[in-house]
Amino acid sequence: MSGPLEGRGAVVTGAGRGIGRAIAQRLAADGARVAALDLNLADAEATVAGTADPQRHLALDCDVSDSASVAAAVAAARHAFGRLDIAVANAGIGKAPGDGSEEMYAAMARRAEDPAVPVDQLIHMGDEGWRGVVRVNLDGAFFLMRETVRVMAADGNAGSLVCISSTSAQSGEGSPHYCASKAGVIGLVRQLSRELAPRGIRVNAVAPGPTDTPIMQGIPDDWITSMEASIPLGRMARPEEVAASVAWLASDEASFTTGSVLVANGGSYFF
Ligand code: NAP
């Protein structure tokens, strides 16, 4: 197999479905050896099985909110591939138990009858509901960046790190914990891009807009319809379109790009 990422080792979190699966399969198609990490090992295995040459890749179970789990998975990928060059912090969630989303959806439904009904989430959000999302979206990105750079530093090799943020980081459309965690990811990327530049490690974010993946399930149909109508390109992104942005940032074509946020949102919001 040959391609722009030939000879590279990569790890992708949340690679069992959706955008993460598309990223893992695209990096594999571009020639990298890919460790697909997910909470659900069977899903990660299905991602690897969907590549052209599954035996070149690795499926691992990993909870990104647990630093020991991330360290073990990164070490396993380094061991299997002999090197790590690319890490993509993709795993993310939009809600967690006790975060007030049930109350918010109920208020949305009542508001359809009475426009004066306030749609609150913040006042219903418990500490664990807040932490549940921040732990995966922001702690998880930090753990993956740290463990990967520890390996890269020990090996003395450069590389490309990519974190999946969201248009919500800038637009504020979404839940408090989601928007805050996705904005936090951009701050992390910007700081790391400066700290790691002397090592030749580039760090960037991709900020998708609404993308057609399982994370959208459970969102009321009328929200989806009005959201798509508000996107200048008139539809949600396909996971493969987000993966293409990641593949470019991971490649040498992006050799002078670090600390950036690559926006893939159909023109719905300008950063
Ligand atoms: P998705 O379809 O829900 O897939 C997320 C994947 O991450 C799932 O395989 C899930 O595993 C896994 N995951 C969840 N928690 C994890 C954890 N603690 N450790 C490891 N893996 C975990 O989501 P998606 O739509 O592809 O989103 C991927 C990323 O893009 C997220 O960071 C999301 O915030 C971001 N994003 C998505 C959109 C969108 O509209 N879809 C827009 C902007 C940004 P399980 O199936 O086992 O839970």
Side-chain angles (χ1 to χ4, degrees):
M1 167 141 346
S2 66
L5 302 181
E6 184 64 38
R8 316 274 166 96
V11 288
V12 181
T13 65
R17 65 181 196 200
I19 293 170
R21 170 173 286 181
I23 293 168
Q25 294 182 339
R26 171 64 193 261
L27 298 183
D30 284 358
R33 297 188 69 189
V34 180
L37 279 45
D38 201 272
L39 267 185
N40 185 321
L41 180 59
D43 287 347
E45 288 170 341
T47 294
V48 167
T51 64
D53 200 358
Q55 59 273 25
R56 297 183 75 237
H57 311 296
L58 201 57
L60 296 167
D61 60 351
C62 173
D63 178 354
V64 298
S65 69
D66 174 353
S67 61
S69 175
V70 175
V74 168
R78 162 67 181 79
H79 180 72
F81 304 151
R83 57 182 296 132
L84 281 184
D85 307 275
I86 298 160
V88 185
N90 164 79
I93 58 176
K95 58 183 181 171
D99 70 357
S101 49
E102 299 305 325
E103 292 86 344
M104 179 184 67
Y105 287 136
M108 285 295 296
R110 289 199 304 279
R111 193 183 202 176
E113 310 292 318
D114 176 4
V117 171
V119 178
D120 290 315
Q121 181 167 15
L122 182 71
I123 60 176
H124 303 295
M125 184 174 285
D127 296 0
E128 264 310 298
W130 167 269
R131 283 293 309 145
V133 166
V134 174
R135 201 181 283 131
V136 174
N137 294 2
L138 185 54
D139 295 7
F142 160 64
F143 294 148
L144 183 73
M145 299 296 103
R146 184 182 65 186
E147 296 311 321
T148 303
V149 173
R150 283 176 171 166
V151 166
M152 287 175 166
D155 289 348
N157 65 307
S160 174
L161 311 178
V162 182
C163 293
I164 304 302
S165 178
S166 169
T167 299
S168 297
Q170 192 88 351
S171 71
E173 289 169 343
S175 297
H177 46 9
Y178 187 77
C179 293
S181 62
K182 292 298 183 179
V185 160
I186 292 175
L188 178 68
V189 160
R190 288 181 171 154
Q191 190 284 333
L192 291 181
S193 70
R194 291 177 177 274
E195 180 176 328
L196 300 175
R199 292 186 178 277
I201 298 172
R202 295 182 295 103
V203 193
N204 293 284
V206 171
T211 307
D212 191 8
T213 74
I215 208 175
M216 304 303 273
Q217 282 163 14
I219 297 180
D221 286 347
D222 51 335
W223 286 26
I224 299 277
T225 305
S226 72
M227 178 239 297
E228 288 193 314
S230 74
I231 298 172
L233 287 180
R235 61 171 174 84
M236 289 193 270
R238 295 186 293 274
E240 295 74 20
E241 293 173 310
V242 180
S245 298
V246 175
W248 180 74
L249 287 169
S251 77
D252 293 343
E253 292 291 308
S255 54
F256 205 59
T257 300
T258 194
S260 76
V261 182
L262 205 168
V263 179
N265 66 13
S268 58
Y269 193 89
F270 300 138
F271 273 54

